[in-house]
Amino acid sequence: MKWGVVRFPGSLDDGDALYAIAEVMGQDARILWHKDESLGGVECILLPGGFSYGDYLRTGAIARFSPIMKSVAKFAADGGLVIGICNGFQILCEAHLIPGALTRNRSLSFICERVWIRVENASTPFTRATKRGDLLRLPIKHGEGLYVAPEDELRQMEERGQVILRYVDADGRESDAANPNGSMRAIAGVANQRFNVFGLMPHPEHAVEAMLGGVDGLKIFQSIAGSAR
Amino acid sequence: MQVKVFVTPRMGILDPQGRAVESSLQSLGFKNVSGVKVGKYILLEVEARTASEARDEAKKMCEALLANPVIEDYRFEVDGE
């Protein structure tokens, strides 16, 4: 599978994402510059974490208007696979490619820790290497990860299976204490209605080698790689 | 023409900043304070012939970029109106 990792001014995790895909997974991956409009024939677009445009105005609000995002929106409309991690998730929300928004953590603090994530829907291109109910140990590191969407929209998303990942405790149970940022319904990752665009706050690219403290992130990359058209 | 844009967290959306400010004010002895919201104040110079033209432009800007309707409300004032 050919992957493209978009580099915005202020992207931080583009290098780690490239490393995970190319070095660890052994797949064809390249950097795509935010000012370009060409996607270079890739089959999956990854929007990495970081602080694109300094998080000015709102996280992801400016990056959304980068020239490449027009091509990404068209790629997504044609059914192409797009994954946004952390700031990438924020950009996807701002671009209306995914419902909802991400706002300031309930604690007002930047959170950097390893959390437990439960897979709620394993029949998506992004989670097909997992089973429903699987627990993943993944790092989060963000100041604005509180997921918000209108209540009626959340209900519909749940019915359609668009809530893909949820924060839980080590036993796989939801609780207020296990919800690190106060996200509505403890949501950590969601997909669009067509299930070809996926955004998540946890960082699978930082959990791809035992040396990094875990390899659970590989399951996300393996899922996508196995979904090549 | 100067336009003043006020962006505030939507009613019903958790506003942790507003809540922190409110509890700080209360601990300072301002027991009469409630409903604190922290938002943004944006000043714009808009080239327009009339105030209503500036108003139309400002509305478009708010909807396209300055506010996110999922989490924020906005209002604006056009100078000279």
Side-chain angles (χ1 to χ4, degrees):
Chain A
M1 185 175 227
K2 280 166 77 177
W3 300 65
V5 176
V6 179
R7 177 173 287 157
F8 297 96
S11 289
L12 279 184
D13 302 326
D14 43 339
D16 283 1
L18 200 69
Y19 175 82
I21 300 162
E23 302 298 321
V24 183
M25 294 281 298
Q27 305 237 322
D28 179 350
R30 69 196 62 186
I31 291 288
L32 300 173
W33 182 235
H34 73 114
K35 280 194 170 158
D36 291 339
E37 287 182 23
S38 164
L39 301 180
V42 301
E43 298 159 274
C44 178
I45 302 277
L46 187 148
L47 305 184
F51 299 87
S52 57
Y53 294 89
D55 277 352
Y56 293 162
L57 195 63
R58 294 179 308 277
T59 57
I62 313 283
R64 175 215 162 174
F65 293 104
S66 277
I68 202 161
M69 285 306 293
K70 243 186 218 156
S71 310
V72 171
K74 185 170 182 305
F75 178 77
D78 291 341
L81 296 180
V82 180
I83 175 171
I85 301 168
C86 197
N87 189 223
F89 185 8
Q90 295 161 340
I91 295 168
L92 288 175
C93 285
E94 282 286 343
H96 310 305
L97 292 175
I98 276 184
L102 291 146
T103 181
R104 191 72 67 95
N105 294 344
R106 169 172 62 178
S107 63
L108 290 177
S109 305
F110 190 94
I111 305 170
C112 184
E113 61 187 25
R114 227 168 239 117
V115 295
W116 289 102
I117 304 291
R118 189 176 68 206
V119 178
E120 304 290 78
N121 183 349
S123 50
T124 78
F126 309 96
T127 49
R128 54 192 286 165
T130 66
K131 288 191 297 295
R132 185 163 187 233
D134 274 1
L135 299 185
L136 308 177
R137 186 76 164 148
L138 295 174
I140 56 169
K141 51 179 181 94
H142 58 248
E144 306 200 28
L146 192 164
Y147 184 77
V148 176
E151 198 54 60
D152 51 344
E153 183 152 30
L154 280 175
R155 257 193 308 274
Q156 289 176 2
M157 288 167 65
E158 298 265 17
E159 279 165 21
R160 291 191 286 248
Q162 286 173 258
V163 175
I164 311 295
L165 304 175
R166 232 186 281 271
Y167 300 107
V168 292
D169 65 19
D171 298 319
R173 282 185 303 247
E174 278 172 66
S175 74
D176 200 49
N179 184 347
N181 51 31
S183 285
M184 291 176 89
R185 300 182 182 220
I187 289 171
V190 298
N192 64 345
Q193 276 195 54
R194 275 176 78 179
F195 295 99
N196 65 315
V197 182
F198 174 47
L200 73 168
M201 286 315 291
H203 288 267
E205 80 281 20
H206 295 327
V208 293
E209 285 176 328
M211 198 173 108
L212 296 172
V215 296
D216 286 358
L218 278 176
K219 289 182 184 154
I220 303 290
F221 292 108
Q222 286 161 351
S223 296
I224 300 171
S227 304
R229 284 195 285 188
Chain B
M1 213 163 285
Q2 191 170 67
V3 179
K4 297 169 176 151
V5 181
F6 305 86
V7 181
T8 45
R10 272 208 107 138
M11 289 297 286
I13 292 283
L14 179 68
D15 173 21
Q17 283 191 93
R19 221 164 55 178
V21 170
E22 183 172 313
S23 73
S24 285
L25 286 171
Q26 286 176 346
S27 70
L28 283 169
F30 297 102
K31 304 290 186 204
N32 51 356
V33 72
S34 66
V36 176
K37 296 230 171 253
V38 176
K40 300 185 188 97
Y41 172 46
I42 304 166
L43 276 176
L44 307 168
E45 280 298 332
V46 180
E47 250 179 72
R49 281 183 300 270
T50 63
S52 99
E53 191 184 314
R55 169 164 288 277
D56 290 348
E57 284 297 292
K59 187 168 191 314
K60 281 187 217 154
M61 291 180 207
C62 286
E63 281 167 7
L65 175 65
L66 301 180
N68 179 342
V70 179
I71 46 173
E72 294 168 326
D73 291 320
Y74 68 85
R75 66 178 183 84
F76 51 83
E77 293 169 3
V78 177
D79 247 22
E81 265 198 328

